[in-house]
Amino acid sequence: MAPTALITGATAGIGAQFARDRAAAGMDLILVARDAERLDAFCAQLAQEHGVRATPVPADLTRPEGLAAVEKVLTTEPIDLLVNNAGLGLNKSFLKSDVEDELHLLNLNIVAVMRLTHSALPKMVERGKGAIVNVSSVAGFAATMPGSTYPASKAWVTSFSEAVGMLVKHRGVRVMALCPGFTRTEFHQRAGIAAHQMPGFVWLQAPDVVRQGMRDLRKGKLVSVPSVRYKVAVGALKITPRALLHRIMPRGAKSMGRTVGDSQ
């Protein structure tokens, strides 16, 4: 029986690339996304191209019934790899966002990650094998976006993954936070972020992010920051005094729009 990977936010961006990568490695897939039609088509494509089983699970992870459906799979199926990729950003200042918008972000970026990890982990520990990748961001290493709560949510994901990873690393299970920088996906377009205004050198490609992430997972790292330039950036964020960071961070809050983007 082939090992199985369950991937959320699986029809676009980094999630879709994880699905392609793991299918090419011969893993069966359980893919989670909101768009049932798109999800069905992607599963059929991967099954045909790689000869693996690809099962669609349409679910909105911001809703209790969506989370419950995926939790049921995680507690009843032998999952070898869980990739918590679904997430969203609010391209608006905290002063302009509604509480409902902020709760929507927290439910997907934090609550869903916690609950799905909590569902998968006991079975993995019981079997003495398995891995969880929680897709975070370099944005979580500092308050890099004035007025945005997205970095705070990703800071939680990174810290949570490190803590749980330390707990289970001696029991045959790996948990890792994958922290890419700007990556060319649909995320920025959906969030209303003017990606074309960013210089080309800041951009990563999703295949490279996934390849580096899987390499670091095999090495047992608790945090993976793909690319040398972002490793340097994270190192700089860690040693730069807060007062200086607060002066040099981009003043992007004033120009934030009102579009909500996500990678479910």
Side-chain angles (χ1 to χ4, degrees):
M1 182 177 178
T4 300
L6 189 149
I7 302 167
T8 70
T11 55
I14 292 173
Q17 188 57 43
F18 262 110
R20 297 186 189 99
D21 182 87
R22 293 299 83 200
M27 294 188 77
D28 287 337
L29 304 172
I30 300 174
L31 303 184
V32 180
R34 287 179 305 174
D35 189 331
E37 184 175 349
R38 186 178 183 183
L39 184 60
D40 287 344
F42 189 44
C43 285
Q45 176 189 343
L46 292 174
Q48 181 177 15
E49 291 179 353
H50 299 283
V52 298
R53 177 175 59 90
T55 304
V57 179
D60 183 344
L61 296 179
T62 66
R63 301 183 65 83
E65 60 271 21
L67 264 177
V70 181
E71 286 175 320
K72 182 177 180 180
V73 174
L74 289 169
T75 55
T76 57
E77 298 282 340
I79 303 300
D80 299 278
L81 172 66
L82 167 64
V83 179
N84 280 312
N85 169 72
L88 67 85
L90 302 176
N91 191 26
K92 62 176 75 174
S93 164
F94 185 71
L95 287 174
K96 295 182 179 180
S97 67
D98 299 323
V99 169
E100 289 75 14
D101 290 336
E102 297 294 342
L103 288 174
H104 191 65
L105 181 146
L106 293 176
N107 283 335
L108 186 57
N109 291 11
I110 293 180
V111 175
V113 172
M114 181 275 292
R115 285 184 55 170
L116 298 187
T117 300
H118 193 270
S119 294
L121 206 58
K123 292 289 185 181
M124 291 181 176
V125 170
E126 185 179 306
R127 297 197 309 270
K129 63 177 183 178
I132 298 174
V133 175
N134 294 323
V135 178
S136 187
S137 171
V138 296
F141 289 99
T144 54
M145 300 160 64
S148 171
T149 52
Y150 175 81
S153 72
K154 291 304 184 179
W156 185 92
V157 172
T158 300
S159 181
F160 168 73
S161 302
E162 283 189 277
V164 177
M166 287 188 290
L167 175 68
V168 299
K169 67 179 181 178
H170 299 302
R171 306 181 73 172
V173 180
R174 292 160 291 168
V175 179
M176 185 187 79
L178 175 60
C179 303
F182 288 103
T183 305
R184 292 200 181 277
T185 69
E186 297 177 12
F187 179 87
H188 299 94
Q189 180 182 355
R190 291 183 178 183
I193 298 172
H196 64 278
Q197 296 179 2
M198 304 295 294
F201 69 86
V202 307
W203 292 100
L204 304 176
Q205 300 297 326
D208 297 330
V209 170
V210 171
R211 190 179 306 112
Q212 180 67 62
M214 291 305 301
R215 186 181 303 127
D216 287 345
L217 183 67
R218 288 190 291 269
K219 291 179 180 179
K221 290 189 177 183
L222 298 177
V223 177
S224 171
V225 179
S227 89
V228 172
R229 57 187 178 275
Y230 278 111
K231 286 182 172 66
V232 172
V234 168
L237 286 174
K238 289 181 177 180
I239 64 174
T240 301
R242 289 289 192 198
L244 179 58
L245 281 177
H246 296 164
R247 289 201 299 269
I248 65 176
M249 283 300 166
R251 301 295 180 181
K254 292 182 180 179
S255 60
M256 282 186 173
R258 299 190 60 82
T259 306
V260 177
D262 66 74
S263 59
Q264 270 209 78

